[in-house]
Amino acid sequence: MDLTLSEEHEALRATVEEFARKEVAPVIGDFYERGEFPYDIVAKMGAMGLFGLPVSEEYGGMGGDYFALCLALEELARVDSSVAITLEAGVSLGAMPIYRFGTDEQKEQWLPEIAAGTRLGAFGLTEAGGGSDAGATRTTARLDGDEWVINGSKAFITNSGTDITSLVTVTAVTGEREGRKEISAILVPAGTPGFRVAPKYSKVGWCASDTHELSFDDVRVPAANLVGERGRGYAQFLSILDEGRVAIAALSVGLAQGCVDESVRYAHEREAFGHPIGSYQAIQFKIADMEARAHTARLAYYAAAAKMLRGEPFKKEAAIAKLVASNAAMDNARDATQVFGGYGFMNEYPVGRFYRDAKILEIGEGTSEVQKMLIARQLGL
């Protein structure tokens, strides 16, 4: 199996690597410590076409594939995960529900600005009482004439409260079928009366990304804002999440590799007992384990992406990639902090940021336990 990147994919990877090193790395620490969203960086990413990578040119995108997005996410996350998750959520959760399931009119109205990165989309799925049980949705939407009336709330929604957020696609109970909830997806434009964005969360990590709780109090939107088929919102979400897990795996690999990058550099520079710490076998073995984890996780998401692009079922492979890569990110962040010693606990070094960012990767877009459950189901258990 040839894992060599195509010329186009390698050119993109190298371009994003250079951008992350020159444009993101020097400034992102300050944004992170202030808990400030990096609008200038996002604008530059938009100008590069990153938010439109898997969107067709017809709707203002780059006409690339989902693997291209994954490569970009990996390179960004080698430097910072807040920037990477802004891109990941903006594309996989903001744009893709509309791109995969929206009407031509919805695509024409919303996708060009999202693909250009001048506006952001969000996906409102998680609720405070639901968590991993997305089917426990309590938010409701009822038809009143030619309008949906939405009531409820959502929690932990990325890109939902920025100055450039244009919409949130919300899952809501729209009725009942055969004794089960009918869940549909509905577009809610930012600024719609009754749609309230709560103050930003105080988070452990991803401090330069945007995350809010949302509430909907008799929010009225046109009936035409239904995304896809009525009653298919949950199924649509599951397919979007399969793609998103491959993207989160790529992001996790980036963080894991970033930990290796920083540890190798520091092992050359830092001296103890008269020698660079990299000359000691204990440090060598620790960094070797880190590199092995990052390499293995990369292979896992490459394999999942390959099946996805071939149009083959990839649910199991996506779950494996997300599980393996998020574990690698967490383990590497812990080991990198140990390599740095006391300095690893200081925010002036990237590994401190990596350590704070890694844990959410085992939770967001499906916990590690959910991934194991999905893998077991695919094995017929």
Side-chain angles (χ1 to χ4, degrees):
M1 181 173 62
D2 185 7
L3 296 176
T4 304
L5 298 180
S6 68
E7 289 186 9
E8 293 81 4
H9 283 146
E10 173 55 28
L12 171 69
R13 188 209 62 76
T15 298
V16 179
E17 178 188 26
E18 182 179 21
F19 171 78
R21 186 177 68 253
K22 293 184 177 180
E23 301 290 340
V24 180
V27 300
I28 194 61
D30 290 338
F31 283 101
Y32 196 93
E33 288 306 303
R34 295 194 302 267
E36 182 180 332
F37 189 77
Y39 286 100
D40 289 345
I41 293 175
V42 170
K44 291 176 181 178
M45 290 162 57
M48 292 171 65
L50 300 187
F51 285 92
L53 279 172
V55 177
S56 68
E57 295 179 7
E58 178 184 3
Y59 300 111
M62 299 293 287
D65 55 34
Y66 208 87
F67 183 55
L69 171 66
C70 291
L71 292 173
L73 291 170
E74 180 182 345
E75 292 303 326
L76 288 171
R78 284 177 71 173
V79 169
D80 179 72
S81 292
S82 292
V83 170
I85 194 60
T86 298
L87 175 62
E88 193 278 335
V91 178
S92 69
L93 300 179
M96 298 312 285
I98 302 171
Y99 188 55
R100 299 291 191 215
F101 305 109
T103 64
D104 290 341
E105 291 76 12
Q106 289 169 347
K107 294 175 185 178
E108 291 169 1
Q109 179 178 0
W110 300 106
L111 284 180
E113 289 186 329
I114 294 176
T118 56
R119 305 289 284 179
L120 292 174
F123 195 91
L125 172 78
T126 305
E127 298 187 3
S132 295
D133 185 6
T137 299
R138 294 183 179 179
T139 297
T140 62
R142 61 176 177 83
L143 272 177
D144 182 17
D146 60 355
E147 292 182 319
W148 291 106
V149 183
I150 304 171
N151 285 279
S153 63
K154 300 293 179 177
F156 315 132
I157 309 303
T158 304
N159 291 347
S160 59
T162 73
D163 293 343
I164 57 174
T165 298
S166 61
L167 64 90
V168 178
T169 303
V170 177
T171 52
V173 178
T174 52
E176 188 174 295
R177 288 186 182 180
E178 300 177 355
R180 305 180 68 177
K181 290 180 179 178
E182 175 192 85
I183 298 177
S184 306
I186 301 170
L187 285 172
V188 180
T192 302
F195 172 27
R196 189 177 74 86
V197 179
K200 65 181 181 181
Y201 290 103
S202 175
K203 296 177 293 186
V204 171
W206 286 358
C207 295
S209 72
D210 178 79
T211 319
H212 297 266
E213 182 180 5
L214 310 177
S215 63
F216 306 87
D217 184 10
D218 285 338
V219 172
R220 290 179 172 268
V221 298
N225 282 23
L226 179 72
V227 179
E229 298 179 39
R230 176 170 176 169
R232 294 286 297 168
Y234 187 62
Q236 291 168 192
F237 157 74
L238 291 178
S239 67
I240 290 294
L241 198 58
D242 285 339
E243 294 181 345
R245 284 169 178 151
V246 182
I248 289 292
L251 191 158
S252 300
V253 169
L255 189 152
Q257 192 65 58
C259 289
V260 176
D261 299 341
E262 293 298 323
S263 295
V264 169
R265 179 188 60 77
Y266 190 71
H268 283 298
E269 296 176 354
R270 177 77 163 92
E271 292 192 358
F273 306 104
H275 300 280
I277 62 173
S279 66
Y280 298 112
Q281 196 174 68
I283 299 298
Q284 293 172 359
F285 282 9
K286 191 177 292 292
I287 295 176
D289 282 339
M290 293 165 62
E291 175 69 6
R293 292 187 198 111
H295 178 76
T296 302
R298 183 177 295 108
L299 294 179
Y301 99 70
Y302 273 32
K307 293 198 73 172
M308 175 173 58
L309 295 185
R310 291 197 299 266
E312 300 174 6
F314 66 99
K315 183 180 291 290
K316 181 181 72 174
E317 288 76 13
I320 291 172
K322 206 272 185 180
L323 176 65
V324 171
S326 60
N327 286 343
M330 191 68 205
D331 290 343
N332 279 15
R334 183 181 60 251
D335 282 353
T337 303
Q338 195 71 17
V339 168
F340 273 70
Y343 289 110
F345 205 61
M346 301 296 117
N347 286 323
E348 64 183 283
Y349 288 92
V351 294
R353 193 166 71 243
F354 294 165
Y355 188 78
R356 292 164 65 181
D357 290 339
K359 182 58 192 173
I360 189 60
L361 297 171
E362 296 182 315
I363 300 172
E365 294 204 33
T367 64
S368 294
E369 291 76 15
V370 166
Q371 306 315 309
K372 293 176 183 179
M373 179 181 70
L374 291 172
I375 296 165
R377 284 180 179 174
Q378 293 298 306
L379 294 173
L381 299 175

